[in-house]
């Protein structure tokens, strides 16, 4: 595996899930595979889970790990080509990438959407430059449009907790005071469509996700109808994806105070079939979900985060095997 962005990059999903199950039972089984190999994790944005779980995964495989926080001590990087660099950016990504590649064997990238230029974001411009110029296998640790390590961990969690063969999984938009990327819902939709689940997406009009990720998915604008019979409720905010409203790409479409009826509370959960609650974290309580739901017995947010170590171990293992 030379790059990891999409569910297809992993090959047959059932096989990857089985590998995850086995690795979870003995996560140090391949602790010689990464000997004298180095993972470089490059962060253009903040992180708690991705940083810790991916580093832990690499350590499970016996790797050395270097972490670079681009915005905390490195030179400010220009990412666009053809600009006169007379501003605050001291170095261009096109030199920085091959330099970074020279110190490592694998690269993980966190580079969120800028949410101003849809074409730039949806072309995965920064990630693809790393693929092209680093000479190393590269995996996404949430890039402009996807967060596959999260979606894989989410699927592992659903597999572990499902109480019937083909569970109903609902992805619901929820309010948030700031513009957030579409990466998490894009990947979640893509992975759910590839898995054996009954998948429904619910959101207010205008928040339609890119069909490249949701093609074939059922969209139900009535949140209550969507929740009926649900086994898993996956909450997430995202800003306007610019599909039905191209001029509003990256924007919040309504004052969030008017959208608080979308917050997942006990009444929402009462419409479901005693569903499990999921969220990728970090989550804003009182906006996305109420305290009682996230703290309740059906909440999976902690095991879901713990499974990030497992999804990353599978992905890094596959990349080491293809070096
Ligand atoms: C990010 C997002 O919504 O994409 C990261 C989630 C894993 N969330 C925030 O920036 C709050
Ligand atoms: N879910 C997730 O990726 O969390 P972090 O942003 O803390 O890494």
């Amino acid at each position: 595996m030379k790059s990891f962005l999409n569910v297809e990059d992993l090959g047959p999903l059932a096989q990857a899930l089985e590998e995850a199950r086995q690795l979870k039972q003995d996560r140090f089984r391949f602790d010689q595979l990464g000997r004298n190999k180095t993972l470089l994790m490059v962060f253009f944005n903040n992180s708690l889970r991705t940083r810790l779980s991916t580093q832990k995964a690499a350590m499970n495989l016996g790797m050395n790990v270097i972490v670079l926080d681009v915005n905390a001590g490195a030179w400010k990087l220009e990412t666009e080509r053809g600009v006169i660099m007379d501003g605050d950016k001291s170095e261009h990504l096109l030199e920085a990438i091959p330099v970074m590649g020279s110190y490592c064997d694998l690269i993980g990238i966190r580079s969120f959407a800028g949410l101003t230029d849809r074409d730039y974001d949806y072309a995965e411009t920064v990630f693809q430059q790393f693929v092209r110029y680093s000479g190393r296998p590269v995996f996404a640790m949430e890039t402009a449009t996807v967060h596959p390590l999260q979606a894989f961990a989410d699927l592992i969690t659903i597999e572990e907790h499902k109480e019937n063969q083909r569970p109903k999984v609902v992805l619901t938009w929820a309010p948030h005071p700031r513009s957030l990327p579409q990466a998490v819902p894009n990947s979640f939709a893509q992975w759910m469509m590839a898995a054996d689940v009954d998948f429904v997406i619910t959101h207010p009009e205008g928040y339609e996700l890119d069909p490249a990720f949701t093609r074939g998915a059922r969209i139900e604008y009535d949140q209550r109808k969507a929740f009926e019979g649900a086994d898993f409720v996956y909450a997430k905010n995202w800003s306007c994806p610019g599909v039905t409203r191209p001029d509003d790409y990256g924007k919040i479409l309504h004052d969030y105070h008017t959208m608080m009826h979308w917050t997942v509370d006990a009444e929402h959960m009462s419409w479901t079939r005693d569903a499990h609650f999921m969220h990728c974290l970090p989550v804003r309580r009182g906006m996305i979900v109420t305290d009682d739901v996230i703290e309740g017995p059906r909440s999976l947010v902690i095991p879901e985060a713990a499974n990030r170590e497992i999804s990353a171990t599978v992905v890094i293992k596959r990349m080491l095997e293809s070096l």
Side-chain angles (χ1 to χ4, degrees):
M1 190 170 30
K2 293 292 176 203
S3 85
F4 179 58
L5 275 182
N6 295 305
V7 65
E8 305 84 51
D9 298 329
L10 209 53
L13 205 44
Q15 211 171 303
L17 285 167
E18 177 54 23
E19 198 170 330
R21 199 185 61 77
Q22 288 181 17
L23 269 168
K24 194 162 177 172
Q25 285 168 4
D26 179 9
R27 59 196 76 194
F28 304 113
R29 183 154 157 227
F30 300 96
D31 63 357
Q32 296 301 308
L33 189 64
R35 197 178 130 79
N36 290 340
K37 296 280 190 287
T38 299
L39 168 66
L40 171 63
M41 302 200 290
V42 182
F43 287 93
F44 289 86
N45 311 93
N46 296 340
S47 168
L48 186 152
R49 278 144 292 274
T50 302
R51 176 183 301 260
L52 298 178
S53 62
T54 311
Q55 178 157 1
K56 177 62 166 60
M59 285 158 51
N60 292 345
L61 297 162
M63 295 188 83
N64 302 312
V65 182
I66 308 176
V67 182
L68 179 68
D69 286 301
V70 175
N71 299 318
W75 301 108
K76 235 176 171 339
L77 293 177
E78 177 58 62
T79 55
E80 306 223 19
R81 210 171 154 276
V83 294
I84 296 170
M85 289 171 54
D86 59 354
D88 61 341
K89 315 255 175 79
S90 308
E91 177 159 19
H92 202 286
L93 203 59
L94 292 175
E95 283 78 53
I97 291 174
V99 169
M100 291 188 236
S102 72
Y103 305 136
C104 64
D105 302 281
L106 301 182
I107 302 182
I109 303 294
R110 167 157 287 201
S111 172
F112 288 179
L115 296 177
T116 51
D117 180 343
R118 186 178 202 279
D119 291 341
Y120 183 87
D121 289 345
Y122 273 72
E124 285 290 357
T125 311
V126 172
F127 183 86
Q128 295 303 349
Q129 285 182 333
F130 272 90
V131 170
R132 189 156 167 207
Y133 299 113
S134 71
R136 304 295 174 207
V138 186
F139 61 91
M141 301 194 299
E142 186 170 339
T143 56
T145 65
V146 290
H147 195 2
L149 288 172
Q150 181 66 51
F152 187 15
D154 297 334
L155 180 56
I156 293 168
T157 310
I158 289 170
E159 282 295 314
E160 288 173 342
H161 292 271
K162 69 182 185 187
E163 284 146 9
N164 52 46
Q165 196 47 41
R166 195 163 187 276
K168 178 174 176 181
V169 179
V170 180
L171 166 63
T172 181
W173 182 94
H176 194 277
R178 295 167 64 172
S179 277
L180 294 184
Q182 296 105 43
V184 170
N186 282 346
S187 282
F188 188 72
Q190 186 190 58
W191 287 67
M192 287 305 116
M193 291 306 289
D196 190 19
V197 301
D198 173 17
F199 184 52
V200 182
I201 306 175
T202 182
H203 55 71
E205 282 189 39
Y207 286 101
E208 292 75 15
L209 293 163
D210 193 306
F213 299 100
T214 61
R215 201 175 307 276
R218 209 166 99 219
I219 296 171
E220 171 56 68
Y221 291 101
D222 182 333
Q223 194 189 23
R224 182 173 183 146
K225 266 196 201 144
F227 273 48
E228 277 166 13
D231 299 296
F232 293 87
V233 167
Y234 192 98
K236 182 72 185 86
N237 172 266
W238 62 91
S239 61
C240 176
V243 172
T244 51
R245 295 171 58 153
D247 295 342
D248 291 323
Y249 174 64
K251 295 192 180 137
I252 296 176
L253 297 176
H254 324 271
D255 179 344
Y256 69 81
H257 295 99
T258 67
M259 303 305 284
M260 299 303 278
H261 53 289
W262 281 80
T263 302
V264 179
D265 63 9
E267 193 198 334
H268 284 69
M269 295 306 281
S270 77
W271 304 333
T272 71
R273 189 155 56 185
D274 195 20
H276 291 284
F277 176 81
M278 298 179 73
H279 188 280
C280 63
L281 307 181
V283 73
R284 290 190 186 229
R285 290 179 176 215
M287 294 285 323
I288 303 284
V289 59
T290 53
D291 296 279
D292 53 339
V293 170
I294 196 168
E295 291 170 3
R298 302 298 279 173
S299 172
L300 290 178
V301 296
I302 308 303
E304 187 182 352
N307 277 332
R308 291 290 306 278
E309 177 186 341
I310 306 305
S311 64
T313 307
V314 174
V315 168
I316 296 171
K317 173 177 172 281
R318 298 274 187 100
M319 286 199 152
L320 285 170
E321 286 166 344
S322 67
L323 280 180

